[in-house]
Amino acid sequence: MELRPLRYFVGVAEELHFGKAAERLYISTPTLSQQIKQLEREIGTALLIRHSRGVELTPAGQVLLVRARETLQAAGLALKDTRRAAGLDEPVLRLGLLNGIPGHLPAALEQLATERFPNSTVTLEAGTTTDQLRMLDAGEIDLGLVRTPLTLPPAITSEQLADEELGVLLTATHPLAAAPELTLDDLTGLELIWIPRAAAPEFYDDTIRRIGTGVRLSDISMSHSQLRSALLVRRSAFSLGSRRAATPDIVWRPLAGRPLVARYAAVWRTDSHNPVLQAMTVSPGLTVIRQQVVAD
């Protein structure tokens, strides 16, 4: 019996809900359900009773939950003690945390690191796309998160992880806020407050090219976390962002035709000897995260 099905079972048994457990484990609900059914077939009995409100454990499932927790803890201690006896340092992955990235991506990478290399530790270093490349080059991080398009140096490789639709951010009192959808023509002549070009030059240029020449670029630029504050000062202006940026005083509106998208990728040095990174990038590598995002 492999450890991964046990981790999946423990997740469902603790959440008592397939959807919540799937979110916690960063896999799709159908995949999780298939894994549990396969485990039940392997053991030869039902472990969970499924009903409309969620699930409950059978007597056999209650026993397995106790033993599975003990097994997973023992496996972790075995690896940790073996590495200590060999004089090896605790495995650490230094992950670059991109400003404004969807929270599920770094969380999924941390989960993958733990699955591929139990008892590894993930530390975070925040920065822009440009910062990520600099930190990789300086050996300050092992794995970075960036926005593409992006031209990479020969020593760095990448894996696309997710796409996110970009729409228009406006104050709730803006004249265009009442429209359920906007067009590029609606934005003609309006002031665009956007991120500094230095943060991600190619992503910046690609976005400006797609939105067209009809908008007026603002004399101020802000990081993703500051765009809301800037819009509340310049209430006639607009910005670009994901649905996640909407608040009670800032509305998000889609653009007709969905012409704008943010694409996120993981980047790392091909000559890295970090054992956690190597475990994460071995086939099928980081593609499992993109597959999970698409499936969910």
Side-chain angles (χ1 to χ4, degrees):
M1 181 180 296
E2 297 182 358
L3 294 179
R4 180 177 294 183
L6 289 181
R7 290 194 183 94
Y8 289 166
F9 169 75
V10 169
V12 177
E14 291 179 345
E15 296 290 344
L16 295 178
H17 191 281
F18 272 92
K20 293 179 180 178
E23 182 178 354
R24 165 178 158 182
L25 295 165
Y26 305 106
I27 63 173
S28 67
T29 302
T31 298
L32 179 58
S33 180
Q34 292 171 6
Q35 291 288 324
I36 297 301
K37 289 179 180 178
Q38 183 175 336
L39 180 62
E40 290 176 323
R41 287 195 296 268
E42 182 176 352
I43 294 176
T45 189
L47 302 171
L48 303 167
I49 299 173
R50 298 158 175 82
H51 49 70
S52 59
R53 299 181 306 278
V55 298
E56 60 181 279
L57 296 172
T58 66
Q62 294 173 358
V63 172
L64 181 61
L65 176 59
V66 174
R67 298 306 185 196
R69 284 170 170 163
E70 293 174 348
T71 299
L72 294 173
Q73 183 179 25
L77 288 174
L79 179 59
K80 183 176 182 178
D81 291 345
T82 302
R83 290 184 59 83
R84 183 183 295 114
L88 299 175
D89 295 332
E90 290 298 317
V92 176
L93 179 81
R94 298 167 299 171
L95 175 64
L97 184 62
L98 181 65
N99 297 334
I101 198 168
H104 67 270
L105 287 180
L109 288 169
E110 183 176 9
Q111 176 73 20
L112 182 63
T114 301
E115 288 187 359
R116 297 283 180 84
F117 212 113
N119 286 319
S120 59
T121 299
V122 176
T123 63
L124 301 175
E125 295 289 340
T128 65
T129 291
T130 300
D131 293 333
Q132 306 287 307
L133 293 182
R134 179 192 58 76
M135 289 190 288
L136 271 180
D137 184 62
E140 297 172 0
I141 60 173
D142 304 298
L143 183 65
L145 291 169
V146 297
R147 289 181 180 85
T148 63
L150 180 64
T151 301
L152 297 174
I156 296 178
T157 190
S158 68
E159 181 74 52
Q160 291 290 329
L161 297 181
D163 298 345
E164 186 173 36
E165 178 187 357
L166 295 183
V168 178
L169 297 174
L170 305 158
T171 62
T173 58
H174 195 285
L176 294 178
E181 183 180 73
L182 299 175
T183 68
L184 292 178
D185 289 340
D186 292 329
L187 306 177
T188 300
L190 296 184
E191 177 185 4
L192 167 62
I193 300 176
W194 192 217
I195 61 173
R197 184 178 183 276
E202 292 175 76
F203 168 72
Y204 178 100
D205 291 344
D206 182 67
T207 302
I208 296 300
R209 178 182 60 81
R210 291 177 182 275
I211 204 169
T213 59
V215 302
R216 294 186 294 108
L217 284 177
S218 177
D219 59 339
I220 60 174
S221 58
M222 294 286 173
S223 68
H224 287 275
S225 61
Q226 298 171 317
L227 288 175
R228 172 183 174 274
S229 298
L231 287 175
L232 292 175
V233 173
R234 300 251 180 124
R235 290 180 171 269
S236 62
F238 76 98
S239 189
L240 303 171
S242 71
R243 296 174 186 267
R244 296 179 291 109
T247 65
D249 48 13
I250 299 293
V251 301
W252 182 90
R253 295 293 180 259
L255 278 168
R258 288 12 179 208
L260 303 181
V261 64
R263 293 187 168 89
Y264 303 103
V267 290
W268 66 95
R269 293 184 62 90
T270 56
D271 59 357
S272 173
H273 298 293
N274 184 290
V276 185
L277 177 65
Q278 291 176 342
M280 293 173 68
T281 54
V282 69
S283 181
L286 301 178
T287 56
V288 297
I289 293 179
R290 183 173 184 85
Q291 291 168 354
Q292 290 165 6
V293 170
V294 172
D296 292 341

